[in-house]
Amino acid sequence: MLPSKRIIMAGVALACLASGAHASFLDTDFWCRTYGCVVVHDGDNYDIYDNYQFATQTCCVPVGQQMIDFYIRAGNTNVTGEIGGNGVIGPNDDESMLFGITQDGSTINASLLDDGDGYLDAGDAFSFFTLNPNTDILLDGKGRSYSHSFFISSRNTRFSMRALATLNDAKGDFAQTLQLGDIKLTPSFSESGNDQGFQFGSRANTANIQIVSGVDDLGDLTGQPTQIMNFGRRQGIRQRNGDIDTQTIRLDFLYEMPEYDLSMGTGSLNVDVAFDFYRED
């Protein structure tokens, strides 16, 4: 009966949030307060990761083991700067990148007429340019990067975030010329701010959050889930009572493709990065 009771309590918490009350389930939920939990929020919904093992009605997940995902509501990440869980790219979706032309080996000239969406597509065209010994065709800096984010909070637990990267369905020349180690990864976090009207972090604490050194590219996340960030504050990110948004911080992940030239050929890559949370001491 415990799992069904938990769902009812979570439902009550959501109703309270909708009515504008100033307390979240982090403040009132017995299992979060007693055993600790982590919450992932996408600006609309949230997921709960528990230390308490509801299947066996025992405490708790062993230190170093994966926390239990009680239910999935959010599921998606956000394109950084946008709210609504719209950061998921489907297996049949493509994200293209802008080419630039340099005449002196350093400055990208305005030789590509972009239709305004920031990516190379059928609405774009190259303007006239001349060839000389210093001419080069490469990816524009803007087109080489992609970032996503989600919001996170916790109570009464120390934990780590781990990630596993996999490269699937590489096609064309890219199957030989691009690997996970070529894609740079830069994680960061924001303690508070306003994201498209979503005010976050005024009741959150970023003390004792560590970005793990030595994780610089997706090649560092292969084989098994690897720690990216450690959250060592025993009390958790939640600082005091409040709505769930005010108790969250934002985590950002910037991916950067390597400098590209036509010698690397053409193709496509499907890169998956899965995040999860582990109890730590």
Side-chain angles (χ1 to χ4, degrees):
M1 295 301 292
L2 285 176
S4 61
K5 183 184 293 185
R6 180 66 182 280
I7 292 173
I8 292 171
M9 293 185 69
V12 171
L14 284 171
C16 291
L17 288 175
S19 65
H22 296 287
S24 75
F25 66 88
L26 284 172
D27 311 317
T28 59
D29 184 271
F30 171 80
W31 288 273
C32 282
R33 288 189 293 109
T34 306
Y35 305 111
C37 68
V38 172
V39 179
V40 174
H41 196 14
D42 67 6
D44 290 326
N45 298 302
Y46 55 81
D47 306 334
I48 302 176
Y49 295 80
D50 280 296
N51 284 331
Y52 189 79
Q53 301 181 95
F54 289 94
T56 58
Q57 299 186 26
T58 57
C59 175
C60 279
V61 172
V63 171
Q65 296 298 309
Q66 186 174 332
M67 298 176 71
I68 296 173
D69 191 355
F70 188 80
Y71 60 70
I72 293 291
R73 290 183 55 84
N76 297 337
T77 57
N78 300 296
V79 174
T80 299
E82 300 179 12
I83 296 296
N86 51 5
V88 170
I89 298 176
N92 297 318
D93 297 335
D94 294 325
E95 183 161 331
S96 302
M97 297 181 177
L98 282 172
F99 284 111
I101 307 296
T102 72
Q103 297 294 114
D104 58 11
S106 60
T107 304
I108 295 180
N109 295 333
S111 297
L112 180 75
L113 302 180
D114 176 30
D115 62 2
D117 62 1
Y119 299 101
L120 181 66
D121 54 36
D124 300 326
F126 283 104
S127 60
F128 173 80
F129 64 94
T130 60
L131 296 176
N132 64 51
N134 294 320
T135 301
D136 197 7
I137 301 176
L138 70 167
L139 286 179
D140 192 350
K142 178 181 177 182
R144 288 173 53 198
S145 63
Y146 168 77
S147 64
H148 69 70
S149 63
F150 53 85
F151 302 91
I152 189 172
S153 191
S154 63
R155 181 168 184 174
N156 195 27
T157 189
R158 291 174 176 164
F159 67 99
S160 66
M161 182 175 66
R162 307 188 189 190
L164 178 64
T166 54
L167 178 60
N168 303 306
D169 198 25
K171 295 180 179 178
D173 300 314
F174 286 177
Q176 304 297 323
T177 58
L178 287 177
Q179 302 296 323
L180 287 174
D182 298 320
I183 304 173
K184 301 300 181 183
L185 171 65
T186 304
S188 60
F189 61 88
S190 298
E191 182 172 358
S192 61
N194 189 302
D195 199 337
Q196 297 291 299
F198 183 79
Q199 191 75 36
F200 66 92
S202 62
R203 296 173 182 264
N205 194 319
T206 57
N208 207 16
I209 296 179
Q210 175 192 14
I211 297 176
V212 177
S213 61
V215 179
D216 303 310
D217 57 62
L218 294 187
D220 296 324
L221 304 180
T222 58
Q224 62 182 7
T226 302
Q227 286 192 13
I228 293 182
M229 302 179 76
N230 285 315
F231 300 79
R233 185 173 184 265
R234 174 70 69 183
Q235 294 85 352
I237 295 171
R238 170 201 173 275
Q239 184 169 277
R240 58 186 183 276
N241 285 5
D243 292 340
I244 188 63
D245 51 351
T246 66
Q247 297 176 326
T248 63
I249 64 173
R250 192 180 79 179
L251 305 185
D252 295 307
F253 304 90
L254 174 66
Y255 305 88
E256 294 179 278
M257 295 290 289
E259 291 191 8
Y260 170 86
D261 61 50
L262 294 181
S263 67
M264 298 171 69
T266 61
S268 63
L269 300 171
N270 182 12
V271 178
D272 296 320
V273 183
F275 298 91
D276 227 315
F277 304 93
Y278 287 69
R279 186 184 177 210
E280 305 292 348
D281 191 7

